[in-house]
Amino acid sequence: MERLTDRRILVTGAASGIGRATVLRLLAEGARVAAADVSDDGLKETEALAGSDRITTHRVDVSDEASAAGAVSAAAAEFGGLDALVNAAGILRGAHTHECSLELWNRVIGVNLTGTFLMTRAALPHLLESGSGVVVNFSSTSAFFAHPFMAAYSASKGGVASFTHSLAQEYGKRGLRAVNMVPGGISSGITDNIGDLMPADTDWELLLKLSPALPGGIPGPEKVAGVVAMLVSDDAAFITGTEIRVDGGAHQ
Ligand SMILES: NC(=O)c1ccc[n+]([C@@H]2O[C@H](COP(=O)([O-])OP(=O)(O)OC[C@H]3O[C@@H](n4cnc5c(N)ncnc54)[C@H](O)[C@@H]3O)[C@@H](O)[C@H]2O)c1
């Protein structure tokens, strides 16, 4: 089934984890994909894995206004417009909240929340022109359920969720859909290195409470990519202004 044939989709965070898996899945379903990330090496690997002439790659720092605008206009120029934007770029930095520096706080908010805003703002004119544009933003279960040592991250993802609801309401009459992906623990660059991203004396018992209810442990990023492919397709034509949680029942 190629339900995304000729759809023009920009994916950030495309050099690793969920963003990369999403790029590969969208290509497999027939889309043209602009893969964007701050990591040149990771983008090269994604391009090699894709082995497709329907992928273009774009270096972007989503937290930088000019860089975000430049990546969106390059992708739109390449494809002659945009039908969907998937904001998967993100970072996790953990800290005890009383020790969280302003620098850490600003960096996490700057990439996860401000980056989502900057990419979306730049893409909106193209998505509205398409008549049935879609924005898929990456929130997290940390926005809705207690995740210790992640105050900055959780706050950024709560902000993303609220931002997405505003978009869905503001532009719904113009055909735009906006949806929050809400993953739980998924194997990726973030989770595979979580030991390095958390404080040295982390209480892992607290974090392990977030394990999936389903068997098999933490799944691969393709579990999320398939849902993103559905959300940018016409199968999700009546889904907007909501959260889609993919966590194997870790938060019930
Ligand atoms: N993996 C999980 O368990 C999980 C759970 C909930 C939400 N998420 C969210 O899913 C999204 C994808 O993350 P992932 O888990 O695949 O992690 P990942 O580390 O594998 O991928 C994140 C990608 O974002 C890129 N990136 C970081 N800062 C950037 C910047 N300033 N500009 C452009 N690109 C930048 C990185 O280079 C990397 O390629 C993130 O928004 C993350 O917060 C992940």
Side-chain angles (χ1 to χ4, degrees):
M1 177 175 60
E2 292 209 347
R3 62 184 166 175
L4 300 177
T5 300
D6 293 335
R7 292 285 162 97
R8 303 158 298 180
I9 306 176
L10 172 54
V11 180
T12 70
S16 175
I18 295 170
R20 171 181 284 166
T22 297
V23 167
L24 300 178
R25 176 63 183 254
L26 300 179
L27 288 168
E29 295 210 29
R32 298 164 72 193
V33 181
D37 202 285
V38 76
S39 164
D40 284 324
D41 290 347
L43 280 177
K44 277 187 198 130
E45 279 173 38
T46 301
E47 195 174 20
L49 283 167
S52 168
D53 60 2
R54 284 179 282 109
I55 185 173
T56 61
T57 59
H58 307 267
R59 189 181 186 285
V60 67
D61 176 353
V62 297
S63 68
D64 181 275
E65 188 172 23
S67 180
V72 169
S73 51
E78 186 88 33
F79 292 160
L82 283 177
D83 300 303
L85 169 67
V86 179
N87 280 309
I91 56 170
L92 171 65
R93 300 284 182 275
H96 294 292
T97 305
H98 68 284
E99 293 171 353
C100 177
S101 67
L102 182 59
E103 189 188 4
L104 184 151
W105 176 273
N106 284 339
R107 186 66 195 142
V108 171
I109 299 287
V111 174
N112 295 355
L113 178 55
T114 309
T116 296
F117 157 65
L118 290 173
M119 290 298 296
T120 304
R121 186 183 66 179
L124 272 171
H126 304 290
L127 297 171
L128 292 171
E129 199 182 323
S130 104
S132 55
V134 187
V135 179
V136 176
N137 285 334
F138 272 76
S139 182
S140 159
T141 48
S142 66
F144 305 99
F145 303 90
H147 285 208
F149 320 118
M150 299 187 202
Y153 182 79
S154 303
S156 74
K157 295 301 187 176
V160 167
S162 307
F163 172 72
T164 306
H165 281 270
S166 283
L167 278 181
Q169 187 73 351
E170 186 172 342
Y171 296 104
K173 285 186 179 166
R174 299 173 69 180
L176 185 98
R177 294 188 294 109
V179 183
N180 280 310
M181 275 303 308
V182 180
I186 302 291
S187 179
S188 73
I190 285 179
T191 44
D192 297 353
N193 298 306
I194 193 142
D196 299 332
L197 300 172
M198 289 289 136
D201 58 346
T202 291
D203 179 346
W204 289 102
E205 237 177 75
L206 277 183
L207 275 173
L208 287 170
K209 284 187 181 158
L210 311 174
S211 299
L214 292 174
I218 303 273
E222 61 285 344
K223 286 279 184 295
V224 178
V227 180
V228 176
M230 183 273 286
L231 288 173
V232 297
S233 80
D234 291 341
D235 287 341
F238 211 52
I239 298 178
T240 192
T242 189
E243 282 71 49
I244 307 288
R245 181 152 57 96
V246 181
D247 73 341
H251 306 79
Q252 302 188 53

